[in-house]
Amino acid sequence: MPTVQQLQQFIRFGLETLGERNAHHDFEALSLAVARRRIASNLLPATGPVSAGGDQGRDGESYFTQLSREAPEASAFARLASDETIVLACTVQRRNVAGKIRNDIASICSTGTRVHRIAYFTVASVPVSTRHDLQEAARTGFQVALDVFDSLWLAKELAEPDLFHLAESYLQVPSEFAPAPDSTDSHPEWYLNARSRWREQEEFTGQLGEFATLRRALRHATFHAEARADLADWLHWARRMLQVAEPDSVRPRLHYEIAVAHLRGLGDLTPADPLVQDFFDQVLNGNDMGLLQDAQVLLNYVYGAWAGHETALTAEDQDRWAALLGARIRSLLDEDPGVNRRASLHALAAHLALRIRPVGQPANYRPEPAGDRAEPPPYYLTAEDIGPLDPHLFTVTDLPEAMEHLQQLCDLLPEAQTFPVTSIANTFDMVAPLLTAHTAYPQVREALDEAVERAEGGVARARKSRNRALQFLRAELPLEALGEVHSMKISTWSGDTLPWALQALLMAGRLYSLLRLPLAAKQCALAVCTVAGSSQDAALAPYIARGLLRAADCDYQAGNLLSSAALSEYAITAQGRFADDPWDEEEHPDFHTLVIDSSMALLAARQFRPHLVPALTDVHARTGLDALIEPQLEGVDEVARSETEWMQMAARSGCGRPFADAGPRRTYHWAAGGATWQVECENTRHAVLACERFVAAAQILIAELAPFDPLLQPAHIRIDVQLSTPAREPRQLPDNSISRWRVYLEPWSDETDAHAPEYLADLAAPLTEILMTESLLPQEQFLQKVRRAFEQGLNHKLIAGRGYDDLADLLPDDYYRQLFSLEPSPVEEAFPFRATAHQALGLPHTPGPGYDEASATAAVRRRYEALPLAHYTMRRLAAFPPFQATALVLRAEGWRDWHILTAVINIVINHRFFLETIDDSAMNRQEIIHRAAALRRPETQDDPMPPNDAFTSDALKRALATSTLSTLQILGLEHHRQTPNFPALFELLGARYAYWTLDVPHENFLAPN
């Protein structure tokens, strides 16, 4: 086979023969074909023979060009092209080529369209210095850029596989000189055969069979970068076929394919705009479901092109076409078609309503064009194209309409067994973050997943759950992602799909860790190694190591640094036994995490708990971790931190208190639901296992309830877990500053059945009581949310195959005794530890249940209208300088005037009540309430008034605090705790009910008279 150099030499020979033969037309056609592949695909031949000058020196001219986006992978030269008007000129003259070029430049620039760049082709070779002189003359004399492509450049390009056919056609280069064909790795054999056949094809039939062959190759060149250099040829052949295409079945489909190829392949729909208009004009009155579906897809493409300023089509065009398509769908549904066609129409209508749009923008909103862009812009097609779908930034065109059609489709799916559900299911998955707020989302998701499973099997269903989870994660919605992962686990929890279930458990564990719920994550991790260890499938053995590695990390995140080290010994043993290349930290990121955790634990011990260092270094020495840890700590010891600083770092990162497992008591800290949690127990084996069972369940339940907005108070909840046989009811302990509980749990025994209803009830009942007490929702509303969580599979989330104690009982009694005997932290009580919640589980700042701005505004207005209840007292206080100073301070702290007025009125009425009931201590509760209500009357001058010193800052704050309970009643909320936590109530009312921001115009009753 000839070498590349031999081929280039033969091509240069062929170019010279063109000059000898004076073959102007052949060279013009050859230059135009090369320019379309290497410069711009939209060059058109000029209208006048070269020798006659009828083309004003122009052998080709672009009607629009966007070279920075056209096939950027084709060659380095193509990436240099600009978005300017280009003129092609060529000559076969071999003498005085420079003079010929100068004359043609003058001719080109003297008439016709304004020119930005000239691409000049010549069969002669042009020295570099001559080329530079010509470029300078063009730039200074005519303000035009000049590129000269001589025989050397042409020979090099025509020797490339994708252009060699031009050398064969125009230069009579023998086939034996053909370069090696593209490898089948970059071009499949069918494509190479199709390309060769179409290059030789002269006539077109325009029938469906021929169209199908061209469509396959055109799409391949459109969507595969390695074939993008061929796209200009395929578009040329498609337009030629369009001239003879069968009008009803082929022509609209060709319109569609050409438009998509221009947009997706070349980054510009503009050249195909007329075809798009013709397409919609033809198909929107038809009955062809395939073409109607193409119309919906093309609408998405047009919107992407319009938003990216890649088309001259307008927003009005799109609105008109969408309205016509929607009307056509409704018309066809009104004809009461068969079940399969009806299902197709509902799916099409859902697709139409699920088009993505920006939030808070008018319908015709169009972003400004981007600056320099090396690649075509995204076009709203796939998850990868559109990126994260943040519901705060994006929405769908018509969510109620979409969900209505999806529900009707799902009702038809059991009967329409052959309906191809994949397309609408994929769209549903892609936009899931924008749909999850709709109440029908779970039912639609379940129905679509069931249909996919019927058609493709359990793995396909699991894959869809995973894809939705990833979409939610991209949109920073980890709670929604968690729900999808649990669905993935349930659909694969047996047989050949068990590896998918283990992957789901690992994903769930990572999500719980991300949400800073480490004991929930640990339960998932331990379930992975337990299920894998009990399986007869040796291929699952590596999951044992992965589960143990994750469990050790969860203990580290929980603050149990010593327990984490003990678990790491088991994990490393399993890693060495079951993993390939076990100590490669890049290959095994969980092992890398264990090395980092172990290093940080040792550093912490060295800096503030040195007596714990031997317990860690002994494990490191036995496992060989010491060789990996010491390099991590080189130089780090120089930055010394106190225990308080380490605790602050742990709290900020959402971890538990460091070395929380050292000493007679073990403590678990986390934050979720707007509250901070502290659960503690005796540091003994059975007590720790029972306590962790409770904590894991609490973390799982809170994560499940969070999307339902349980309205928990942002308080600190401290729970003392004690063992009891049998378990007893939880007790709420009096405390105004924090929420304090004592929970009694039954220890695990060999007779315990984790799948018995009693076990689940004993696990969920105390948690439900605590959360219901901490919630401000009416009890029935709260219980409805709990029932909804169970309906969505809470039971299988609380129990991961086996009971928690059974999964986690890995360390012996002796180890717990060693931990029990250690000295506890001396700063634990001096520095109250409060973990920090993940943003998804923090205190929400969205309007709370029952909040309505108009009603809240009216309530504030009524507060001001209550001024007569303390009119004379307020007049007196307004003239009292110490009260004026107090009011100014309270205003600076965020108080509104109605807060001050409410507090004053409460003090006044309480004073009246005290004076009227001082001698009547036998009143019952109902009498007290009735008497207090009767005292809420306008104040008179004769009423006894509280002294001025009754209105101190502290007194006003206490009075306003007590008023929050009536505020809750006005909002339809209920307070269930024995002792109110007023700071928590103030914080929640401010975050969810505009308590500290809402105000109305009012009389300035604080001004001195």
Side-chain angles (χ1 to χ4, degrees):
M1 177 177 292
T3 65
V4 174
Q5 289 76 16
Q6 290 171 330
L7 173 57
Q8 291 180 2
Q9 182 63 35
F10 200 102
I11 291 173
R12 291 182 64 193
F13 171 78
L15 290 169
E16 288 186 7
T17 62
L18 286 179
E20 292 172 354
R21 294 188 284 115
N22 201 25
H24 302 290
H25 294 295
D26 286 349
F27 187 56
E28 178 182 338
L30 173 63
S31 300
L32 183 59
V34 172
R36 280 175 169 166
R37 299 298 297 274
R38 293 295 189 263
I39 301 175
S41 64
N42 49 357
L43 285 166
L44 297 176
T47 58
V50 176
S51 58
D55 53 12
Q56 291 84 41
R58 306 180 183 198
D59 298 309
E61 183 174 356
S62 63
Y63 54 87
F64 187 79
T65 183
Q66 235 173 343
L67 305 181
S68 60
R69 303 169 198 173
E70 287 192 355
E73 304 88 350
S75 68
F77 174 82
R79 288 194 294 272
L80 299 177
S82 66
D83 298 343
E84 300 169 329
T85 302
I86 298 175
V87 165
L88 170 70
C90 60
T91 181
V92 295
Q93 183 173 312
R94 299 173 62 200
R95 298 180 184 276
N96 192 20
V97 173
K100 170 65 172 170
I101 293 175
R102 286 191 179 91
N103 291 337
D104 284 349
I105 291 172
S107 177
I108 290 168
C109 295
S110 62
T111 59
T113 306
R114 167 83 164 86
V115 178
H116 298 92
R117 181 176 297 275
I118 298 172
Y120 205 106
F121 287 76
T122 172
V123 297
S125 61
V126 180
V128 173
S129 60
T130 303
R131 185 181 301 121
H132 289 172
D133 291 341
L134 291 169
Q135 289 171 333
E136 179 64 22
R139 183 166 50 252
T140 58
F142 299 96
Q143 293 77 50
V144 65
L146 172 69
D147 294 310
V148 178
F149 306 108
D150 63 4
S151 60
L152 293 175
W153 183 88
L154 278 168
K156 178 179 177 297
E157 295 300 319
L158 290 170
E160 294 291 328
D162 65 309
L163 292 187
F164 177 75
H165 68 286
L166 298 176
E168 286 183 294
S169 300
Y170 293 102
L171 304 179
Q172 290 84 49
V173 176
S175 297
E176 64 184 275
F177 279 83
D182 306 57
S183 70
T184 54
D185 289 337
S186 58
H187 291 309
E189 185 175 356
W190 70 263
Y191 179 79
L192 296 175
N193 293 336
R195 187 177 66 183
S196 298
R197 184 170 64 254
W198 281 83
R199 282 172 175 170
E200 298 173 358
Q201 187 162 336
E202 296 291 338
E203 301 294 333
F204 297 90
T205 66
Q207 298 302 308
L208 267 175
E210 184 181 63
F211 162 75
T213 302
L214 181 136
R215 176 176 58 190
R216 183 187 184 194
L218 177 60
R219 289 188 176 184
H220 182 83
T222 298
F223 293 101
H224 292 81
E226 66 274 12
R228 198 75 49 76
D230 297 330
L231 188 53
D233 286 341
W234 290 112
L235 284 169
H236 174 67
W237 295 323
R239 287 183 177 273
R240 286 184 60 191
M241 182 188 291
L242 193 59
Q243 298 172 8
V244 296
E246 196 280 324
D248 296 326
S249 59
V250 177
R251 185 173 297 159
R253 289 179 166 84
L254 265 174
H255 289 160
Y256 174 88
E257 298 297 336
I258 293 171
V260 172
H262 270 283
L263 182 61
R264 293 292 284 172
L266 303 180
D268 180 23
L269 185 61
T270 309
D273 283 353
L275 301 186
V276 172
Q277 292 173 322
D278 291 344
F279 172 86
F280 283 111
D281 288 346
Q282 180 172 354
V283 306
L284 291 182
N285 291 318
N287 298 325
D288 189 316
M289 282 301 302
L291 289 174
L292 291 174
Q293 289 164 358
D294 286 346
Q296 178 270 318
V297 175
L298 192 55
L299 268 176
N300 282 339
Y301 278 127
V302 171
Y303 176 75
W306 175 80
H309 295 258
E310 309 295 345
T311 180
L313 299 171
T314 66
E316 290 72 20
D317 291 329
Q318 299 170 64
D319 292 342
R320 184 177 71 258
W321 294 330
L324 289 171
L325 179 57
R328 188 57 184 153
I329 294 171
R330 290 190 294 272
S331 173
L332 293 173
L333 282 170
D334 289 343
E335 296 176 3
D336 193 23
V339 62
N340 286 311
R341 187 171 176 84
R342 196 157 68 251
S344 297
L345 288 166
H346 282 303
L348 180 56
H351 273 298
L352 187 64
L354 289 174
R355 291 171 294 146
I356 301 166
R357 296 293 183 266
V359 166
Q361 299 293 347
N364 62 348
Y365 168 74
R366 188 181 198 183
E368 291 300 317
D372 293 340
R373 200 161 48 195
E375 296 181 357
Y379 296 110
Y380 305 104
L381 287 178
T382 66
E384 290 72 20
D385 284 332
I386 61 179
L389 280 178
D390 185 342
H392 298 98
L393 302 177
F394 295 99
T395 185
V396 295
T397 306
D398 191 335
L399 180 58
E401 176 86 359
M403 298 305 288
E404 173 65 24
H405 282 288
L406 284 170
Q407 288 177 278
Q408 295 192 49
L409 168 65
C410 291
D411 292 341
L412 295 171
L413 288 177
E415 185 179 356
Q417 294 281 326
T418 60
F419 173 74
V421 73
T422 302
S423 176
I424 187 61
N426 287 345
T427 298
F428 180 86
D429 295 347
M430 185 180 70
V431 299
L434 310 182
L435 312 180
T436 184
H438 196 282
T439 55
Y441 175 84
Q443 292 77 20
V444 171
R445 179 193 63 188
E446 185 69 16
L448 291 176
D449 283 357
E450 287 177 355
V452 168
E453 185 173 14
R454 285 195 300 269
E456 305 175 38
V459 171
R461 177 174 184 165
R463 186 177 292 113
K464 297 189 73 57
S465 296
R466 181 193 62 189
N467 291 345
R468 286 194 297 267
L470 294 176
Q471 276 293 83
F472 283 124
L473 276 178
R474 293 188 187 103
E476 298 184 1
L477 297 170
L479 290 171
E480 289 76 4
L482 187 61
E484 298 295 345
V485 170
H486 278 300
S487 296
M488 172 183 169
K489 178 192 70 176
I490 288 301
S491 66
T492 55
W493 192 255
S494 63
D496 295 340
T497 59
L498 191 57
W500 281 81
L502 297 181
Q503 287 283 353
L505 275 171
L506 286 173
M507 290 178 67
R510 291 185 185 280
L511 285 167
Y512 282 126
S513 287
L514 174 68
L515 289 164
R516 302 177 176 181
L517 305 175
L519 268 296
K522 183 180 178 183
Q523 176 168 295
C524 294
L526 292 171
V528 168
C529 54
T530 302
V531 172
S534 61
S535 172
Q536 302 299 314
D537 187 354
L540 300 182
Y543 285 99
I544 300 174
R546 295 182 65 182
L548 287 169
L549 289 168
R550 291 290 308 133
D553 179 55
C554 294
D555 261 342
Y556 176 88
Q557 187 181 7
N560 298 328
L561 273 56
L562 298 173
S563 301
S564 175
L567 272 183
S568 72
E569 196 162 357
Y570 292 91
I572 291 172
T573 300
Q575 180 76 357
R577 182 177 177 185
F578 300 124
D580 293 331
D581 198 4
W583 318 124
D584 186 335
E585 294 184 50
E586 291 187 2
E587 182 69 23
H588 302 288
D590 289 329
F591 176 65
H592 173 71
T593 299
L594 183 140
V595 173
I596 299 300
D597 291 349
S598 303
S599 303
M600 294 298 293
L602 180 57
L603 178 62
R606 286 175 177 174
Q607 293 193 351
F608 68 89
R609 302 291 288 276
H611 64 286
L612 300 180
V613 169
L616 298 173
T617 54
D618 287 350
V619 173
H620 300 164
R622 287 195 299 270
T623 58
L625 276 177
D626 50 358
L628 299 173
I629 289 174
E630 289 306 325
Q632 297 278 350
L633 297 182
E634 289 181 3
V636 179
D637 277 322
E638 299 172 3
V639 184
R641 295 183 176 90
S642 67
E643 181 169 3
T644 300
E645 289 175 315
W646 276 92
M647 291 174 70
Q648 290 171 339
M649 287 194 305
R652 286 194 301 269
S653 61
C655 294
R657 180 175 58 81
F659 298 110
D661 51 350
R665 303 281 293 174
R666 185 180 294 213
T667 309
Y668 300 87
H669 292 271
W670 80 96
T676 54
W677 297 76
Q678 177 180 343
V679 181
E680 52 193 63
C681 66
E682 187 179 54
N683 200 6
T684 58
R685 176 176 160 231
H686 286 294
V688 166
L689 291 173
C691 186
E692 290 195 354
R693 176 208 318 160
F694 175 82
V695 172
Q699 292 178 352
I700 291 168
L701 179 57
I702 293 169
E704 289 301 302
L705 291 178
F708 304 146
D709 197 359
L711 202 63
L712 301 181
Q713 300 177 58
H716 181 66
I717 301 173
R718 184 168 181 172
I719 302 172
D720 176 26
V721 171
Q722 297 186 4
L723 294 180
S724 173
T725 304
R728 291 182 279 164
E729 294 291 322
R731 285 179 53 202
Q732 184 181 2
L733 306 178
D735 197 314
N736 284 102
S737 58
I738 67 173
S739 180
R740 210 177 267 274
W741 291 80
R742 182 166 292 136
V743 171
Y744 302 91
L745 301 176
E746 190 167 0
W748 180 270
S749 69
D750 293 338
E751 288 74 35
T752 304
D753 181 3
H755 298 285
E758 297 80 10
Y759 177 86
L760 187 62
D762 289 344
L763 193 60
L767 288 171
T768 300
E769 182 173 348
I770 292 172
L771 291 172
M772 183 167 60
T773 303
E774 297 303 320
S775 172
L776 294 177
L777 293 174
Q779 289 191 358
E780 182 54 34
Q781 288 186 27
F782 179 84
L783 290 174
Q784 285 177 358
K785 296 179 185 296
V786 175
R787 286 192 288 269
R788 185 176 173 188
F790 273 102
E791 289 168 0
Q792 296 187 11
L794 176 59
N795 55 340
H796 71 73
K797 299 167 188 175
L798 290 171
I799 303 172
R802 299 185 186 180
Y804 183 92
D805 307 55
D806 195 16
L807 296 173
D809 193 12
L810 299 176
L811 303 176
D813 279 320
D814 285 346
Y815 187 78
Y816 286 97
R817 281 192 283 269
Q818 293 174 27
L819 297 180
F820 187 95
S821 66
L822 294 172
E823 180 183 349
S825 167
V827 303
E828 182 173 355
E829 295 302 325
F831 180 80
F833 187 90
R834 300 291 185 266
T836 305
H838 185 278
Q839 61 180 5
L841 292 174
L843 175 65
H845 285 73
T846 53
Y851 177 76
D852 173 71
E853 185 175 359
S855 300
T857 302
V860 170
R861 189 173 292 109
R862 286 194 296 273
R863 299 274 192 178
Y864 285 117
E865 292 169 355
L867 175 61
L869 299 179
H871 176 68
Y872 292 100
T873 299
M874 186 59 71
R875 288 179 60 185
R876 188 184 82 235
L877 292 174
F880 183 52
F883 180 83
Q884 284 289 333
T886 297
L888 288 175
V889 171
L890 293 175
R891 281 173 164 177
E893 292 176 0
W895 282 44
R896 302 291 175 174
D897 286 354
W898 64 268
H899 296 128
I900 298 174
L901 176 60
T902 299
V904 168
I905 290 174
N906 281 353
I907 292 174
V908 168
I909 292 178
N910 286 337
H911 182 71
R912 292 182 201 167
F913 183 81
F914 173 77
L915 293 178
E916 291 198 17
T917 61
I918 192 169
D919 296 325
D920 193 357
S921 58
M923 286 191 302
N924 60 35
R925 178 177 175 81
Q926 289 300 321
E927 289 173 331
I928 292 173
I929 294 174
H930 180 74
R931 182 75 64 87
L935 292 173
R936 289 187 63 84
R937 54 174 173 72
E939 187 179 39
T940 67
Q941 287 182 311
D942 298 329
D943 282 329
M945 298 183 190
N948 287 343
D949 59 8
F951 298 93
T952 64
S953 176
D954 289 342
L956 290 168
K957 289 178 179 179
R958 286 193 298 271
L960 184 65
T962 58
S963 75
T964 58
L965 299 179
S966 62
T967 300
L968 295 179
Q969 293 178 349
I970 293 171
L971 293 169
L973 306 177
E974 295 179 1
H975 183 268
H976 307 296
R977 293 187 58 204
Q978 292 177 358
T979 51
N981 184 334
F982 291 118
L985 293 176
F986 277 138
E987 185 178 358
L988 184 137
L989 289 171
R992 309 296 306 276
Y993 294 93
Y995 186 82
W996 298 109
T997 56
L998 194 61
D999 207 348
V1000 298
H1002 59 277
E1003 173 190 348
N1004 185 8
F1005 49 80
L1006 294 175
N1009 293 329

